Amino acid sequence: MNDSQLLGALRAALGTERVLDDASTRDYYSHDLYWYGKPPACVVRPVDADQVQTVVKIAAEAGRPVVPRGGGMSYTGGYVADDARAILLDLAGMNRVLKIDTVNRYVTVEAGCTWAQLHEALAPLGVRTPYWGPLSGQRASVGGTVSQNSVFFGSVRHGSAAETVLGVEVVLADGQRLVTGSAGRHHGIPFVRWGGPDLTGLFIGDAGAFGIKVAVSLRLITPAEAVGFGSFGFSDFTTMINAQADLVRAGLGAETFGIDAYKARNSAQTGRKLGEATKTALGVIKSGKSLLSGLKDVAGMAMAGTNDLENAAYSLHLTVEGDTEQDADRQLKKVEAIVEKNHGWVLPPVVPKAMRGRPFPPLRSALGVDGQRWVPVHGILPLGTAAACVIEVEAMIAARQAELDQHGVLYSPLTTNVPNGILFEPCYYWMDEVTPLHIDATELSDPPAAWAQRVNRPDLRAYVMGLWQDTARILAKHGAVNFQIGRAYPFLDTVSAPYAALIESLKQTLDPQGRVNPGALGLARSA
């Protein structure tokens, strides 16, 4: 089936407006925030699971790859087609909250529903999911997050996105629909994930390689009665990492993350600029127990300023959740004792208050403060190896600093606690073209004109990719595992031969022709 025949079949089944093949659209979907691939043959925007099933069946008849895309916030090629014959499925239009069951404590959403949309739907009912979204939750979809896995809101206490999932509905390569977890039983509903082999886990973190998620069911909990906030300064990175490890061992925190002075000054996700936004201030007011307490929080943030934060070489920010205000205060006192033991000091908690006040701001960190391109590389490290890994990565950066300066590349790290480890995320920034996707992701309504004049710099991206790969190798050497594997992290090379063989045999069973997101996880790569 040639392109013309394919487009005709898709448009006859879904409608002309659902199938796009103009050059501009195809180019827009040919890359993510970092990774470049090939423009797909067409982009299809389904509105429900039946349409996804129809597209997959047409693709099977045509012998075409199908590549699923969620919110588009990947930086590891999760949805970037390797094959110009591919059909790209943009699932953003499948964004409905299908069912909220507060009696049986679950919510089911379509795969394209964003975390911000889900949060808004649940809040009036006094419930939330244990993990309740990444920083990019304004655009990041539930289906995309589950495919890549993720941590942030609620993660220190409740684990990654994976630990919140009860079941998924997936369209397989042959067009069949599979429901996992207890909802996959006759007369079942998605109230637990187990009850036999954990098939749900098979589709979490698979980067869409095993099937196309069309719906996800998540566990519901009642939010904590009280939230406390803490920020702390450190003079060096290793000391902060040691404090983070001690906090994990003590089981303290709901969200905990560390940043350097660059991010403290410049990041609208994690630093000063987050606290400057009017919408953030309004969110802090609304998040207070009363209008008066919310106003006091905003006034306190304004009086505290950010000089102390910006003057700290590194700063750690966290929230704690308690049954009462006294419980939250008790936890904060334990946190302060651990920080003091690790030679840290107390800062005004401007940043964590702002983040809870407006949890899903525009993803301004997708570009540097001067419009630099950005790519992170991360690893979730065991507590016992995190400090040594940080030391080795920073030594590598120091040894190559003159080289980075020559290429205009800036290094800035981020850390996040998880229940039994620490996520360490070195980030690299450089001058390169600013694409329409970056403008959309950051929601910059009026970006500086100079940004649009920047030329495409594949040479600089190649240099940064070398740094990225060298950093990833150091992380792997210290026992790191990864989220957002996509097409970037060498997953199959980091696992044992039996492990890799089983993954490959699962792909062969579920997708014998290698048509579903070929290249993801390093499986069924196109020639």
Side-chain angles (χ1 to χ4, degrees):
M1 189 181 292
N2 61 31
D3 283 358
S4 178
Q5 293 168 325
L6 174 69
L7 292 169
L10 290 169
R11 285 169 174 155
L14 277 72
T16 301
E17 72 283 0
R18 295 281 157 214
V19 184
L20 307 175
D21 70 326
D22 60 283
S24 177
T25 298
R26 291 169 56 240
D27 181 68
Y28 182 91
Y29 287 91
S30 69
H31 62 85
D32 62 13
L33 292 173
Y34 174 74
W35 199 270
Y36 285 70
K38 297 178 180 178
C42 62
V43 174
V44 179
R45 294 174 172 167
V47 295
D48 57 34
D50 289 341
Q51 289 192 348
V52 173
Q53 194 172 22
T54 297
V55 172
V56 170
K57 288 179 178 179
I58 290 173
E61 294 172 8
R64 299 288 187 119
V66 180
V67 177
R69 181 186 190 268
M73 297 296 98
S74 168
Y75 62 87
T76 56
Y79 61 82
V80 174
D82 299 323
D83 189 334
R85 302 180 312 113
I87 300 168
L88 190 140
L89 272 175
D90 180 357
L91 302 177
M94 293 174 53
N95 60 2
R96 292 176 298 167
V97 177
L98 297 174
K99 185 167 186 178
I100 301 172
D101 188 333
T102 57
V103 173
N104 293 299
R105 310 296 279 180
Y106 73 85
V107 57
T108 301
V109 301
E110 290 182 315
C113 179
T114 69
W115 291 96
Q117 289 169 331
L118 177 58
H119 185 65
E120 185 178 345
L122 295 178
L125 303 177
V127 292
R128 68 163 227 225
T129 55
Y131 162 94
W132 50 284
L135 288 171
S136 56
Q138 185 68 31
R139 291 177 64 91
S141 69
V142 174
T145 300
V146 171
S147 292
Q148 299 278 40
N149 208 1
S150 167
V151 292
F152 200 69
F153 286 110
S155 287
V156 178
R157 190 171 184 181
H158 298 288
S160 72
E163 279 74 50
T164 289
V165 180
L166 294 170
V168 294
E169 182 177 359
V170 183
V171 176
L172 301 175
D174 61 0
Q176 291 190 81
R177 280 157 69 170
L178 169 70
V179 177
T180 69
S182 57
R185 291 171 171 257
H186 300 303
H187 316 297
I189 61 171
F191 74 106
V192 293
R193 177 164 152 178
W194 32 264
D198 182 14
L199 293 187
T200 301
L202 180 62
F203 295 96
I204 296 176
D206 71 332
F210 292 149
I212 299 168
K213 295 168 192 65
V214 293
V216 181
S217 294
L218 307 166
R219 188 161 55 95
L220 292 177
I221 62 172
T222 301
E225 289 293 322
V227 180
F229 305 92
S231 290
F232 310 93
F234 293 86
S235 58
D236 66 86
F237 199 176
T238 304
T239 301
M240 185 176 75
I241 286 287
N242 289 335
Q244 288 186 243
D246 286 346
L247 289 170
V248 172
R249 293 185 184 104
L252 292 167
E255 302 97 34
T256 303
F257 67 96
I259 55 178
D260 67 352
Y262 174 82
K263 284 190 170 64
R265 286 190 298 269
N266 299 316
S267 177
Q269 295 317 107
T270 58
R272 167 170 61 102
K273 294 182 182 295
L274 176 68
E276 291 175 350
T278 302
K279 287 184 179 179
T280 295
L282 292 173
V284 172
I285 291 172
K286 290 178 181 177
S287 67
K289 290 295 180 184
S290 66
L291 177 60
L292 179 60
S293 68
L295 288 169
K296 284 181 177 179
D297 278 341
V298 171
M301 288 167 62
M303 291 179 65
T306 58
N307 287 337
D308 289 342
L309 172 62
E310 295 176 33
N311 289 332
Y314 298 90
S315 57
L316 186 65
H317 310 274
L318 59 79
T319 60
V320 297
E321 296 178 335
D323 295 330
T324 63
E325 297 288 348
Q326 292 77 15
D327 182 21
D329 289 342
R330 177 186 57 80
Q331 293 181 55
L332 283 175
K333 286 189 182 346
K334 289 185 176 182
V335 170
E336 289 175 8
I338 289 173
V339 168
E340 183 178 356
K341 184 189 79 170
N342 286 280
H343 311 293
W345 60 92
V346 174
L347 297 173
V350 175
V351 171
K353 283 186 177 181
M355 295 188 79
R356 276 295 184 108
R358 191 186 183 194
F360 304 122
L363 189 63
R364 298 286 168 79
S365 60
L367 293 172
V369 65
D370 297 314
Q372 303 102 317
R373 287 283 292 273
W374 155 91
V375 67
V377 52
H378 77 272
I380 301 93
L381 292 154
L383 298 176
T385 68
C389 182
V390 164
I391 290 169
E392 186 169 349
V393 169
E394 298 246 308
M396 185 265 288
I397 296 296
R400 298 172 67 170
Q401 190 60 58
E403 186 183 295
L404 269 71
D405 292 344
Q406 179 184 350
H407 289 86
V409 176
L410 175 72
Y411 158 77
S412 175
L414 173 73
T415 60
T416 304
N417 283 11
V418 298
N420 205 33
I422 296 173
L423 183 147
F424 171 36
E425 184 171 272
C427 301
Y428 297 106
Y429 300 83
W430 71 101
M431 293 297 183
D432 201 341
E433 68 170 337
V434 176
T435 72
L437 175 62
H438 288 89
I439 299 301
D440 287 349
T442 54
E443 297 185 25
L444 290 169
S445 58
D446 188 23
W451 294 9
Q453 305 305 315
R454 291 186 185 153
V455 297
N456 185 4
R457 292 297 302 272
D459 57 325
L460 283 181
R461 287 198 301 279
Y463 172 73
V464 170
M465 177 50 71
L467 282 174
W468 194 98
Q469 291 170 336
D470 290 343
T471 307
R473 278 189 283 270
I474 295 173
L475 291 162
K477 170 184 166 184
H478 289 273
V481 297
N482 310 107
F483 298 141
Q484 287 233 30
I485 292 171
R487 289 165 170 77
Y489 290 98
F491 170 64
L492 293 177
D493 295 337
T494 62
V495 298
S496 68
Y499 192 141
L502 179 58
I503 293 293
E504 289 170 335
S505 67
L506 287 169
K507 175 69 170 176
Q508 178 64 27
T509 298
L510 293 167
D511 181 18
Q513 303 303 316
R515 287 195 309 268
V516 177
N517 211 11
L521 298 185
L523 296 167
R525 291 189 182 277
S526 300

